[in-house]
Amino acid sequence: MRVLGAPVRRAGGVAGFLAARTAAAHHRRLGAALTPVVLVVAFVCVQLAAGSTLERAADRQASDALRADLVVTGPAAGIPSEVADAVRRAPGVSAATGLLRSSVVLAHRETGDPKLDRYPVLGVTADQLSGTLDARFTAGDPARLTGRGTVAVGRDRADELGAGVGDTVRLRLGDGAKVRLRVVAVYERSLGLGEFMLPRETLAAHVSAPRDRQILVRSKDGGAASAVRRVLAPYTGLDVRTATADDVRISPASSEQDDALIVIGVGVIGGFALLAVVSTLALITVGRRPEFRLLRLVGAGRGQLLRMRVLETGLITVAGLTIGTAVAAIPLLAFALTATGSLPYLPPVQYGVLALTVTLAAAADTLLPGAAGGAGRTG
């Protein structure tokens, strides 16, 4: 309050002086007013920023991993496997790999209890991988990702499983088959590319339709698009365009509908906390009526009291947002640095909506018709 009160005193005149002195003098009342504001801000920031941090890190990893400049896309049914071979033979193409997507089930124990988790998996062609994707391999050799008994594992998942190059992991593939796979490489960009990479032939034998979702293409001089289109001419429904991070990201960015559901869920819970803000501040205002009457008796005008309360609302809002954000930053930093190696992120628009909502809730008793009138009556 000493820090925030100084500019309020200088800029607010008599009302600013009263607001700063009142806030500094009544610590218990100020604490009661700040606590629900801090709780709302901290809760909403943690809930929204956790997902946003993972989304941003996955987007960044997928963008950094992309080395292809073109991508071949097709219908929902997928792209026939022979198309990738045909594209590789096109003039001006230095590398092309089809991306076969599926999922695997990993059985493990968490706090002593058995647990099954499903993870997306990518089927790739090892000798073409380095030309189209840079997964940032930290151990092993991705060129050994061949045959039907090998796998590359994301670094975080490998650490969790205690598996390194040469070790064996047990997975259940999409058709339910249990397999033992030897780890031949460990890579870093698992948020963007997925936790596991398998040879395409291994994954193709365990999916209902072994068709590629996309084909990543790297040109020798950036001008292979026309040649690729000529190769694709015999096939219907295929197109070639500039590659983007969304083409390689294993888990597509959440849809607007998913984002809306998350915001609504957080909003419902946060709304109950906002009710605590409004009710607490309203009770505090009711308890301050003798104080307002005394200020009127010693000469404070009705307008001065209204401005004082507006400035007090500003002090509470700024202090609550600052402290709440600092409280949320502690778990968010631990989470973000561990999971992504980066700082937490919350979209500015979402934080702006939160700040506006908290401000309106804190100012409810001041803005409602007749609220200021209670402060102006002398009894």
Side-chain angles (χ1 to χ4, degrees):
M1 287 301 104
R2 289 191 181 97
V3 174
L4 296 177
V8 171
R9 284 194 300 269
R10 287 194 296 267
V14 174
F17 172 81
L18 291 174
R21 293 292 295 175
T22 300
H26 300 280
H27 296 159
R28 292 183 180 179
R29 187 172 70 195
L30 181 65
L34 281 177
T35 298
V37 178
V38 170
L39 289 175
V40 170
V41 174
F43 168 77
V44 175
C45 283
V46 168
Q47 294 298 317
L48 294 181
S52 299
T53 300
L54 287 176
E55 289 283 336
R56 193 186 196 198
D59 288 338
R60 186 179 63 252
Q61 288 189 10
S63 179
D64 293 342
L66 181 64
R67 301 189 66 188
D69 56 319
L70 300 172
V71 61
V72 176
T73 58
I79 304 171
S81 58
E82 67 271 13
V83 175
D85 293 330
V87 170
R88 289 188 197 107
R89 296 191 294 268
V93 173
S94 63
T97 180
L99 299 183
L100 181 63
R101 300 183 185 273
S102 184
S103 61
V104 296
V105 175
L106 175 65
H108 63 106
R109 287 187 175 274
E110 188 173 292
T111 63
D113 296 325
K115 187 177 180 182
L116 296 176
D117 286 326
R118 182 178 295 274
Y119 298 102
V121 63
L122 204 59
V124 297
T125 306
D127 60 353
Q128 301 289 309
L129 181 61
S130 61
T132 55
L133 280 179
D134 178 15
R136 189 176 284 177
F137 288 92
T138 57
D141 183 5
R144 298 168 59 194
L145 195 61
T146 58
R148 295 202 172 188
T150 58
V151 64
V153 185
R155 186 180 62 183
D156 292 339
R157 189 62 52 198
D159 291 343
E160 181 180 312
L161 297 174
V165 175
D167 294 329
T168 300
V169 296
R170 298 180 180 181
L171 300 175
R172 188 186 295 269
L173 299 181
D175 62 350
K178 296 180 179 179
V179 294
R180 292 169 57 92
L181 303 174
R182 181 169 52 89
V183 179
V184 297
V186 176
Y187 57 94
E188 186 175 306
R189 290 171 173 153
S190 56
L191 281 177
L193 303 179
E195 303 287 355
F196 299 97
M197 285 188 190
L198 271 66
R200 190 190 183 284
E201 58 268 29
T202 298
L203 199 58
H206 297 278
V207 296
S208 57
R211 288 172 168 252
D212 295 323
R213 185 72 60 84
Q214 298 100 1
I215 299 175
L216 298 179
V217 183
R218 179 164 181 158
S219 306
K220 293 179 181 178
D221 55 5
S226 299
V228 173
R229 288 191 178 93
R230 287 194 296 270
V231 170
L232 298 178
Y235 303 93
T236 59
L238 301 185
D239 189 23
V240 59
R241 58 172 173 79
T242 302
T244 66
D246 288 338
D247 295 315
V248 300
R249 184 175 171 183
I250 193 72
S251 299
S254 59
S255 65
E256 293 182 0
Q257 182 178 4
D258 293 336
D259 292 340
L261 290 175
I262 294 173
V263 172
I264 290 172
V266 173
V268 169
I269 300 174
F272 288 106
L274 285 174
L275 289 177
V277 174
V278 175
S279 60
T280 299
L281 294 178
L283 289 173
I284 290 174
T285 299
V286 171
R288 295 180 63 188
R289 285 178 178 173
E291 174 190 339
F292 296 146
R293 286 196 292 267
L294 178 60
L295 288 173
R296 285 300 308 275
L297 287 174
V298 298
R302 186 172 300 187
Q304 289 176 329
L305 291 184
L306 178 59
R307 288 193 296 273
M308 179 193 76
R309 295 177 63 199
V310 170
L311 291 172
E312 287 177 349
T313 298
L315 286 172
I316 292 172
T317 302
V318 173
L321 287 170
T322 302
I323 299 172
T325 302
V327 169
I330 297 173
L332 284 175
L333 277 171
F335 165 76
L337 292 175
T338 302
T340 69
S342 62
L343 295 176
Y345 172 74
L346 180 63
V349 173
Q350 293 184 4
Y351 190 84
V353 172
L354 170 63
L356 178 61
T357 303
V358 168
T359 301
L360 293 177
D365 64 322
T366 302
L367 299 178
L368 289 176
R377 290 191 293 268
T378 58

